[in-house]
Amino acid sequence: MAARLLLRACALNSQQLRRNVAVRPFHRAMGIPTDDEQATGLERRTLEALKQGKDPYSILKPKHYTGTKEDPHIVPSINNKRLVGCLCEEDNTAIVWFWLHDGDAQRCPSCGSHYKLVHHELPH
Ligand SMILES: [Zn+2]
């Protein structure tokens, strides 16, 4: 099941979710269960969360942040700190590592991009 979920996750985006909804009447008429109807366990929880606009397992492409003070890079964490690696410029081969702590947004010591830690609950 994990491999099937991974394959779906790689191909999944909001357009495909909408298309799945559009295909549902056809599947129902043919007696074929849809992905939503036959999913169980972790796969079902993930599909239900995606419909609510949530991404509890971080399977979708991350949102792009500008890294400014008004739009900092959001870093989810289950702890009160997290190690962050900043590729300051696109072609850099060296990564600047620093600890991001809970509280106000912090800046990368090299390029000055803003990062903010946000508490994240792991789904069970
Ligand atoms: Zn940086």
Side-chain angles (χ1 to χ4, degrees):
M1 192 209 74
R4 202 174 69 181
L5 179 63
L6 184 64
L7 283 173
R8 285 213 187 118
C10 293
L12 203 62
N13 61 35
S14 59
Q15 277 186 333
Q16 284 175 318
L17 277 174
R18 263 183 261 129
R19 191 167 4 140
N20 194 14
V21 170
V23 165
R24 193 170 291 150
F26 171 74
H27 275 76
R28 189 158 290 140
M30 297 295 291
I32 302 169
T34 62
D35 288 348
D36 296 349
E37 289 166 350
Q38 64 182 351
T40 59
L42 177 63
E43 185 180 17
R44 184 181 198 98
R45 285 203 304 262
T46 305
L47 287 173
E48 286 172 356
L50 286 169
K51 278 187 214 162
Q52 295 169 9
K54 297 176 186 170
D55 184 18
Y57 296 100
S58 302
I59 56 175
L60 297 178
K61 184 181 172 189
K63 182 180 177 269
H64 179 75
Y65 301 100
T66 56
T68 60
K69 192 173 183 178
E70 295 77 28
D71 186 27
H73 298 284
I74 300 297
V75 180
S77 175
I78 58 169
N79 218 332
N80 60 357
K81 67 178 181 178
R82 188 166 177 185
L83 190 62
V84 173
C86 183
L87 264 177
C88 300
E89 292 171 24
E90 197 172 320
D91 295 336
N92 273 10
T93 54
I95 300 172
V96 178
W97 295 98
F98 62 96
W99 282 102
L100 181 65
H101 295 272
D102 205 4
D104 291 338
Q106 286 176 233
R107 300 185 76 179
C108 167
S110 179
C111 70
S113 286
H114 289 75
Y115 289 86
K116 181 159 179 52
L117 194 81
V118 174
H119 191 69
H120 177 70
E121 285 288 334
L122 278 180
H124 294 286

